Structure formats: C-alpha cells, structure tokens
Amino acid sequence: MDFRKSMLDSMARGFGRLGETIERRPWLVIVLSALVAVLVGLGAGGIYLETEGVYLWIPTTSQTYKDFLTYNDEYQDGAKLNFLNLIVSAADGGSVLRKSVLEEAMDLHHNVTIDFTSKKGETFDDHCFKAVAAVNGVDSPCQANNFLQIFGYSVSGIPIADSAIVADVNAANAVSSIASALGGIAYDGSGQILSADTLLLGYALKNERGGDLLEWESDLVDYTVPNELLARYPSLTIQRLSSLAFDQEVVKLVANDMPLFMGAIYIIVIFLALTFGPLTRSHNRVLLAFVAIPQVLLSLLFATGCQGFFKAKISTLNFMLGFILAGVGVDDMIVIEEFYARAKAKGSSSVMKDTLAEGGLAVFLTSLTAVIAFLVGAFVDLPAVRSFCVCAGLAFAYNFVLNVTFFPAFLLLDEHRCCFGGTCACCVGRASVEEKKKEEKEEVIVAKKTSLAGSIFATYITPTLANPAVQIFVLVVTFGAAIGVLIYGLGIEVGLSVTEVVPDDSYAVTFFDTLEEKFSSQIKIMALSVEGLDYSSSTQVANLQGLFTDIEGLPTVVGRVGNYQGHWLLHYQNYLSANSLDPYTDFGKQYITWLESSTCNNLPCNTYAMDVIGVVEGGELKSVSNARFFFEEVSPTETSEVWKVYNTLNGLRRAKGISGYYFIELFMYAENDSLMFMYLFRSLGVTLVAVAVIMAMFTDLTSTLYITLCVCCIDCHLLGIARLWDTRLNSVLFTCMIMSVGLSVDYCVHIAHAFVHAEEQIDPTKRLKEALTSLGPAVIKGGFTTLLGVALLSMASSSVFRMIFKMLFLTVLFGVFHGVISLPVMMCCHQKAINAFCGSSSSKLDTPRAEPMKAGGDDDNKL
C-alpha cells in the first residue's frame, strides 16, 4: 500500500511538471505532439486493405487453415484462386434447357474465355488457372466448373431437340448430381429432370495480387456490366460477380457510410462545445471543441503509421476506429477541462500544473484499461480482430498522450484568446473588477446548471437507492438478470454471412440471394487430398478405394468420388489396362502420353494434370507425393452441420489408414465457428483479469472487486441482448465484446473512486449520496456524448456496421446503468456489512491517494 501511494505521488508530480511545461511553452508542446504523429504516420502507406474473408476471419493456427495453405501450395501454385461466376437465366422466365438459350449461354462463355481482350491485349487464357508443363508435366485447358461442360463447351455439342437436351442432362445427372451448376430444377415423379431456370458458369483465375490480373479483371468487370450484357444477349438475364467486383463492393461500404462517421463526429464536437460552457461571445469554447477532430486524426495517423511500418493488413473494421475514438476519447477531454475549471476556481498560481497533477491520473487510468483490453484482443488468433485491436490500442495510447499535451495546450491558448479579446474573465491575475463580476455571474449560472443535475440525483435517485428494500431488489435483479441473459445468450447463433460485409443494396447481395434461392440443394464440391500413397501397391489402392466406397455411402454424399467426369486414377488405370499394362506394377508408365493423347469422358485428360503432384521423368510418373479426388456433398450449410461432416469424413479416412486431409473453404469457417465461444470466454477472462490487476494497482481492492463484477454483468447482458436483437456471434461481435470491457470500466471507476474518497467515511448511505451527487451527472453526460455519435450508425448501409451500433449502444446503456445504479448499491451494502461485523470505526476503506500538488487544492475532488 505504501508502494501504491508512492507510485501515485510520483505520477502526480510527473503530470504536474508536464503541466508547468505546457504553461511555459504551449505551442512547442502542440508542435512536438503533432510532429511525432505525422512522422510516425509516414509509414501508413505500408498498410494493405484486405477484403478476402479467409485471410481476415479464420484462425491462422486452426487445422483447416493449415490445410488451406497446404492445398494452395500443392495444387494452386501457392495462391488462393480468384473467381468469376455468372448466373444465367432465360429472359422470358422459361427453362434454360432449350437450344436457343444454351446457344446464347455458350456464346457468352466463348465471349468471356476467347473473344474478350483487355486494354493490354490480354485474354482469359493469359490469366486463367491451368496446368503448365514446367510444373505439371503437361499444359492443360483453363479450369472451369459449369454446366456447359456437358456439351463439351461447343455449340455443335448441343442437341437440336429440347427433349434431347433434357435427356443428355438426365444422363449426366445419373452419373453425378449436376445441381451445383443447374438451378431451379423441376423433377417428374420418377426423379427425372424436366426443366431448370438457372445456369451457373464458374471460372478460376490465377491470384496475382497487384499484378496484371488486377488490370485484366478490372477491364472484364467493365465489360460485363449488366447493361452491356443485356444489349449483347437479349434472351438472357445475367448476374455476374468476380473477386475484384466483390472487393469493390466492400470498399464501397466504407465510402457509403463515411458521411455517417463524419456526421457522428461533428455531433460529438457540437455537444462538446455545449459542455465546455455557454455559447456566449466571451465564454464560448467552439474552437476548443473542434480540437477533438485533429486529435482523433493524429491518433489514427500514429496508429496506422505504426502498423504500416510492419506492412500490416487491415479490414473495414479499422475504419470504425475514428468514430469510436471520438465518442470515447472526448470523455477524457471533458475530464481535463473540468479539472482545469476546478483548479482555476481555487485560485491556483499554476492552474495547468494542478489540472494535470489531478486529472492526469484519472485520464491515465481510464485510458490504460482501454489499451489493456485492446492489447489482449491483439493476441487473438483472428487476423481482422488482431489488426483492429492493435490499431485501437495504439490509437487510444497516443490519444492519451494528446489528452495530456495537445489538448491542455490548446485549452490554455483558448483561455489566452479570451483574455486578449478583452472580454473574458478567465485569466488568473489579469482580469479587471468588472470582468471578475462577469465571471462570478457566469459561475453562478454554471453552478445552477450543475446543481440542477445534482439535485435530480439527490432528490430522486439516491434516496431511492438508499432504501434497503430497493438495494436488495437491485442486487437480485443485477445478478439474476446477468445469469439469466447469459444462459439465454449461450444459445446465440454463430457465423458471419458474406452479404453482411457489403452494402445492403449491393448487387453482390442479390447474387448470393439468387444462389441461395435457385441452388437450394447447396451442393458442395469437396476435395480429398491423399498424401504419400504408393499407387503401385494394390493393397494401399484397395484401402483408398474402400475409403471411396465409405464416402459414397454417406447419406449426404451425392454420386461417386470423381463426380460426373470420374477421377484421374480411374481414367489412368483404364488407360493402362487398355494398353496391356498392369494398373499397379506398371503404374507411372506412359503418364504424359495418357495426359496428352487420351480423352476422358469427352474432355481432354490433361484436365487432370493438376490433380497429381509428383516427380515426372522421361514421360513417366516416378512417384506421387499428393493427389486429389473430388466428390459432392449436400449437408445443410450451417457451420455446425458442416463441422460434423468434417469430423465424420476424417474418421473414415483415419479408419482406412489414409494420410491426407479434406478441403473446402467452408470447413475453415465451420472450425472457426466451433471455436468462437472458446475464443470469446478465454479472451474475456484474460481481459477482465488484466483490467482487474490494473485497477488493483491504482485503486483499492474493494473497488476492484465490484467494478470487475459490474463489467462481468455488462458482458453477460451484451451476449444475451445480442441474441435477442437478432445478432449472431462472429468476429465482429467478438471484437465489440472485448472492446466493451475497456469502455464500460470508465462508467464504473469514477463512481467507485468518488464513493471511496467521499468526505463521509462512516455512514454508507451518505457516502452513496455524495458519490452519486458529485459524479453521477458527469457519468450520465459522458454516456450521452457517446450515444449521440452511436445513434447515426443505426442508419449504416450494412449489417456489420449496424451490429457495431447495437453493441456500442448496449455497452453505453448497461455501462451507465451499472455504474450509476448497481455499483454504488454494491459498495453501500459492502460497507453496511463491515459496519455490522466490525463496527463503524472499522468501516473506513483504507485507500492510498496521490498527494496533492502544493499549488493545488483539496485532493478529494480528484476523479
């Protein structure tokens, strides 16, 4: 305890010396604090806005993410593929299984893959994903997965009669379901396809981030705008979505909502101007209030620059930080200004010295808890959350620096501005008698406003809370509701939809809605990657084929392994047998010859060149390190069901002794969702412990205990109400929950401090009244400031930002409630218990305080 008191005294002296420096050279302090942010901000050019969900919302240490990286390295040249998808339907609403419709669809296919040329003269063949001889031993056609492969991607392959087309489609469907490429299917009583109203044409592109693909895809996006497609194909209705187009929609989200962010900041600034004083000519603080804007910008510049030096990736979440910083950081500006007014009223000879000696500690404690909460989030294994929390921690840390340097210097200059104008009575020792009278009148007006707010607490709130029956009711409701909503909240759905990260009116939302509606079977094409199998061993191959049989026997697996075309091993073994070679002992012979000269189900066999990873010498396959086999699965797309499928498939693989893994991107999201509750409770627990340790270092153990309990209750309420408010648990909600710990502490710590340091130390009821009357209005005002800015987010153009609005709104609402209602009741009951068991003489809480500066006043006014 002596150590804590000594530490607080040292910090108070340090802040006091900083205040003296600001009084002597305010402009130097302003320039230096801004210059540091600008110099560090030069590194901001190194950041990269990541829009690909796999690299943002998936734990990097999860097994499925590791499988994803391995799969990319082995089969996709180390990169995640870009995509181009076209949804085609007949303009007249009829079936697409008609020759006239299919001919236009085939023309569209050729137009994109053959005819289209970018401004640089590049074609689809230059950027599509395909096998190359240098890597795979043979060149292959561009990889595509769409319905037109049934007709060999040729108009001549389309039957003349519509009935023949339907017959070909049913023949293909009998081998393996084509519901992943054909939507809106109508069946007859025997399960035969009669018609379909939608086609899906999918193409894979090489991921050359920032390279030529970006320019080519940009030209393609411009070439395939809806109006252009409608003019070229009047018989078709076409929706298109590519990786670049989706990225543009994500960026558009930020652009659409930026006016809301700026509007929220200006509302906060205006409220700040009203808070600082009356809007009279002599006492207005409008210019001082607008200091909040450059302060927020400098904090963001510092944080972004730090990340840029390390080439960090950021997400759209980071764009919310300026708004959050303005809503929360402004509270500390209000605290500094209030301490300045107190020091000035005491007639201090060094006003800024006393201001920072007292107010600096309060601002330091609230800022430190927020920074600690964000730093804990920085260790979460979710890249988007980690990036946001690192940026937020750095921004809040530098915002604290600016709150004790940049803002106090401007506060001092604003005081001088009033004095130099000859109309202000705010400079100590320089005001005339007439000016002092004006000052006294202004102080009376301010005092009346303050007393009005305080009288509401003194007349209505505190007497009610002092009632023993009410206190019991508050405690029962506080803890009972927290437990109840926590139990309810544990049933919250988990997941983040791709449509939640783009504007509500985006065509990407319409595209995905069409996929959901037309392709209701939601067939998923999964890959089984087999490692280290000896294909010359009939025993090992028999085990693999046994695994295929087990997979095909699952109720949710459609057709056979290899789908409609069959897998590479089937075709290669058939080739060996047809050429009088043994499928096992002669395995590997004539491998390149097979790829180059044979046809596999009307498609070139070199299509399979990318399915086998091994050593090729002299046209023979000497060894196979990895090989993949595709199959289709139709389980529900809920991640909980997908995770069950993943575990079932791996169980079958292990039972057959086959090394390898299964891959589909949905597996990563399923694993992420299965781990979300563990991540949430673990991170919240660590954050609460870290904040509690910080509180114990700077306050008493009693305050620490009840503040921690209140924060726990707040988080319980957030989780339960989030479910009630139709919000799902995902990385965005997770970030808000972590952030809520640091933010909600602010609403509790000031009331607890006021209760502990109240002049009345014996009667708990009087202490409660004194604490709430003195700082209750300030807590309400701080919460109201944040709510003003948060309110505009309810009109955001995407559900992600509206989700953040909901969580911030709830954080402020429950933070103020527990800070003003639950916490003082807990502390009051705690002292009543001490009085009952130990006697009133032992009821005074022994809490060290920083010694007041000699030039200052009463230390009991300290927050």
Side-chain angles (χ1 to χ4, degrees):
M1 192 165 291
D2 291 337
F3 168 77
R4 187 193 304 161
K5 184 176 184 300
S6 176
M7 178 180 64
L8 294 175
D9 291 341
S10 298
M11 292 180 65
R13 287 192 293 270
F15 283 121
R17 286 191 289 269
L18 178 60
E20 290 178 324
T21 302
I22 293 173
E23 286 181 328
R24 291 195 301 267
R25 297 184 176 181
W27 279 113
L28 178 62
V29 173
I30 291 172
V31 171
L32 287 178
S33 57
L35 184 61
V36 170
V38 171
L39 291 177
V40 175
L42 294 176
I47 63 172
Y48 170 74
L49 177 60
E50 181 62 76
T51 55
E52 178 55 61
V54 172
Y55 300 115
L56 291 174
W57 313 112
I58 304 300
T60 56
T61 58
S62 66
Q63 183 58 49
T64 52
Y65 185 79
K66 294 176 182 177
D67 292 342
F68 161 75
L69 297 179
T70 303
Y71 188 86
N72 287 346
D73 289 340
E74 292 172 347
Y75 302 107
Q76 297 176 177
D77 198 24
K80 182 182 184 296
L81 296 184
N82 282 9
F83 67 87
L84 169 64
N85 287 327
L86 301 171
I87 296 179
V88 180
S89 58
D92 60 7
S95 175
V96 294
L97 302 182
R98 294 177 291 171
K99 184 174 179 61
S100 58
V101 176
L102 290 177
E103 284 181 341
E104 282 206 16
M106 195 69 74
D107 184 58
L108 170 64
H109 168 78
H110 290 156
N111 190 242
V112 170
T113 60
I114 300 174
D115 301 334
F116 170 71
T117 303
S118 70
K119 296 175 183 177
K120 284 188 173 183
E122 297 173 332
T123 65
F124 179 80
D125 192 66
D126 294 319
H127 296 288
C128 70
F129 187 64
K130 59 185 179 180
V132 293
V135 178
N136 307 102
V138 65
D139 293 325
S140 78
C142 295
Q143 298 290 302
N145 176 39
N146 61 56
F147 175 78
L148 299 179
Q149 69 179 353
I150 294 176
F151 309 108
Y153 297 111
S154 173
V155 173
S156 61
I158 303 175
I160 296 176
D162 291 347
S163 59
I165 294 174
V166 173
D168 285 353
V169 170
N170 277 297
N173 189 61
V175 177
S176 184
S177 174
I178 59 174
S180 60
L182 194 63
I185 301 175
Y187 298 91
D188 64 13
S190 62
Q192 293 291 300
I193 294 175
L194 294 176
S195 64
D197 60 17
T198 310
L199 302 176
L200 178 62
L201 309 183
Y203 307 93
L205 304 172
K206 290 183 295 187
N207 194 333
E208 304 166 350
R209 192 187 300 281
D212 294 334
L213 173 63
L214 190 61
E215 297 182 26
W216 180 85
E217 193 177 349
S218 179
D219 292 341
L220 178 63
V221 168
D222 294 337
Y223 181 74
T224 56
V225 294
N227 291 338
E228 294 289 336
L229 292 175
L230 180 61
R232 290 196 296 269
Y233 305 102
S235 298
L236 302 179
T237 299
I238 304 170
Q239 299 179 54
R240 68 100 169 94
L241 187 67
S242 69
S243 299
L244 178 63
F246 184 79
D247 291 349
Q248 290 174 343
E249 290 301 294
V250 174
V251 175
K252 180 182 174 182
L253 168 66
V254 178
N256 286 354
D257 290 334
M258 191 57 68
L260 287 179
F261 300 157
M262 296 306 300
I265 292 176
Y266 276 109
I267 289 177
I268 292 173
V269 168
I270 292 172
F271 182 75
L272 192 63
L274 296 173
T275 300
F276 283 164
L279 295 179
T280 61
R281 187 179 67 173
S282 60
H283 286 79
N284 79 82
R285 293 291 182 83
V286 175
L287 293 178
L288 183 62
F290 274 88
V291 172
I293 295 178
Q295 184 163 317
V296 168
L297 294 177
L298 288 174
S299 300
L300 288 177
L301 187 62
F302 177 85
T304 306
C306 289
Q307 286 190 297
F309 282 124
F310 295 95
K311 307 297 181 183
K313 295 179 182 179
I314 65 172
S315 70
T316 51
L317 278 181
N318 290 58
F319 291 95
M320 290 292 302
L321 189 53
F323 158 76
I324 296 172
L325 200 60
V328 178
V330 160
D331 294 348
D332 291 335
M333 297 174 65
I334 295 175
V335 170
I336 294 296
E337 195 276 337
E338 287 183 352
F339 274 110
Y340 186 88
R342 292 182 185 183
K344 185 178 64 175
K346 296 172 185 176
S348 172
S349 60
S350 182
V351 178
M352 191 56 68
K353 176 182 178 181
D354 288 351
T355 297
L356 292 186
E358 297 187 41
L361 286 173
V363 173
F364 173 78
L365 181 57
T366 55
S367 299
L368 182 61
T369 55
V371 172
I372 290 297
F374 284 122
L375 289 182
V376 171
F379 289 95
V380 174
D381 189 25
L382 294 169
V385 176
R386 183 166 58 239
S387 172
F388 174 82
C389 288
V390 168
C391 190
L394 291 170
F396 270 77
Y398 200 72
N399 186 67
F400 160 72
V401 173
L402 295 177
N403 271 324
V404 295
T405 56
F406 189 80
F407 176 72
F410 269 108
L411 175 59
L412 197 65
L413 292 173
D414 194 61
E415 292 284 295
H416 292 169
R417 172 188 63 82
C418 294
C419 292
F420 292 154
T423 59
C424 179
C426 53
C427 289
V428 178
R430 298 181 60 177
S432 64
V433 174
E434 182 179 352
E435 289 172 335
K436 288 185 178 292
K437 290 181 180 179
K438 291 181 180 179
E439 178 181 311
E440 290 174 357
K441 291 180 180 179
E442 294 289 351
E443 288 178 351
V444 169
I445 294 175
V446 173
K448 287 181 178 179
K449 292 181 178 179
T450 303
S451 62
L452 177 62
S455 65
I456 294 176
F457 275 85
T459 305
Y460 301 104
I461 298 178
T462 54
T464 303
L465 294 181
N467 188 306
V470 173
Q471 290 179 347
I472 294 174
F473 176 78
V474 168
L475 293 177
V476 171
V477 170
T478 296
F479 294 109
I483 295 173
V485 295
L486 174 61
I487 294 173
Y488 176 75
L490 292 176
I492 190 172
E493 294 184 5
V494 182
L496 180 66
S497 170
V498 67
T499 58
E500 292 180 308
V501 298
V502 295
D504 293 339
D505 59 353
S506 170
Y507 64 84
V509 174
T510 305
F511 184 92
F512 287 112
D513 286 344
T514 302
L515 281 181
E516 184 72 23
E517 176 188 355
K518 298 298 182 180
F519 300 89
S520 56
S521 58
Q522 293 294 298
I523 288 184
K524 300 176 284 295
I525 300 177
M526 298 183 178
L528 165 63
S529 179
V530 178
E531 301 174 342
L533 189 77
D534 182 3
Y535 292 90
S536 64
S537 170
S538 59
T539 302
Q540 293 191 33
V541 172
N543 287 337
L544 178 62
Q545 291 172 340
L547 175 60
F548 292 166
T549 302
D550 291 343
I551 291 174
E552 292 164 359
L554 293 176
T556 58
V557 172
V558 179
R560 61 177 181 174
V561 174
N563 303 328
Y564 167 69
Q565 296 296 335
H567 54 75
W568 69 271
L569 181 59
L570 172 66
H571 292 299
Y572 180 51
Q573 286 183 330
N574 289 340
Y575 171 84
L576 292 176
S577 299
N579 287 273
S580 302
L581 296 173
D582 187 82
Y584 302 106
T585 59
D586 293 324
F587 184 87
K589 293 181 178 180
Q590 300 184 23
Y591 176 70
I592 297 300
T593 303
W594 165 66
L595 288 176
E596 292 179 336
S597 61
S598 299
T599 301
C600 303
N601 275 10
N602 297 322
L603 287 180
C605 288
N606 58 11
T607 304
Y608 295 102
M610 302 187 71
D611 291 345
V612 181
I613 308 299
V615 177
V616 178
E617 294 179 359
E620 296 186 356
L621 184 61
K622 297 297 184 180
S623 64
V624 178
S625 59
N626 302 85
R628 63 181 177 181
F629 305 86
F630 294 99
F631 60 95
E632 295 180 341
E633 197 270 343
V634 291
S635 65
T637 55
E638 287 82 2
T639 54
S640 59
E641 296 298 322
V642 173
W643 190 237
K644 292 178 183 178
V645 171
Y646 175 82
N647 290 320
T648 300
L649 289 172
N650 273 305
L652 296 177
R653 179 184 57 79
R654 286 190 291 266
K656 294 296 183 181
I658 303 297
S659 298
Y661 57 90
Y662 296 91
F663 174 75
I664 186 175
E665 283 192 18
L666 193 55
F667 283 156
M668 291 186 287
Y669 294 97
E671 183 175 15
N672 176 47
D673 290 350
S674 71
L675 298 173
M676 189 56 67
F677 274 106
M678 182 194 72
Y679 282 139
L680 177 64
F681 290 121
R682 183 176 65 186
S683 298
L684 283 177
V686 173
T687 305
L688 286 169
V689 170
V691 170
V693 170
I694 296 298
M695 296 299 300
M697 290 174 60
F698 293 95
T699 64
D700 63 286
L701 295 179
T702 302
S703 299
T704 300
L705 172 63
Y706 292 118
I707 289 174
T708 304
L709 284 175
C710 285
V711 174
C712 288
C713 291
I714 292 170
D715 283 328
C716 291
H717 290 311
L718 291 182
L719 186 62
I721 303 301
R723 181 189 176 189
L724 190 64
W725 211 341
D726 195 27
T727 303
R728 291 182 293 178
L729 176 60
N730 50 48
S731 300
V732 178
L733 184 65
F734 174 89
T735 304
C736 293
M737 293 285 287
I738 296 298
M739 182 170 58
S740 70
V741 176
L743 303 186
S744 57
V745 166
D746 292 1
Y747 301 110
C748 298
V749 66
H750 296 312
I751 297 295
H753 193 94
F755 188 94
V756 171
H757 294 285
E759 293 184 4
E760 172 59 50
Q761 288 289 305
I762 304 299
D763 189 338
T765 301
K766 291 182 179 178
R767 294 182 74 179
L768 182 146
K769 291 182 179 179
E770 183 179 338
L772 287 181
T773 304
S774 62
L775 283 179
V779 171
I780 296 293
K781 181 171 62 177
F784 185 70
T785 304
T786 307
L787 284 178
L788 281 176
V790 168
L792 284 183
L793 275 186
S794 63
M795 298 182 289
S797 64
S798 84
S799 57
V800 163
F801 288 160
R802 291 196 297 273
M803 188 188 308
I804 295 175
F805 152 73
K806 293 176 183 178
M807 298 310 295
L808 286 178
F809 175 83
L810 293 175
T811 298
V812 175
L813 184 65
F814 288 115
V816 171
F817 173 82
H818 286 286
V820 174
I821 305 296
S822 302
L823 179 66
V825 168
M826 291 180 192
M827 299 191 74
C828 182
C829 292
H830 174 85
Q831 187 171 358
K832 286 182 178 179
I834 293 178
N835 290 350
F837 288 98
C838 303
S840 61
S841 61
S842 303
S843 64
K844 182 176 179 179
L845 298 175
D846 187 11
T847 304
R849 316 180 203 180
E851 291 295 335
M853 304 299 293
K854 292 182 179 180
D858 185 8
D859 181 61
D860 287 339
N861 288 323
K862 193 184 312 174
L863 282 181

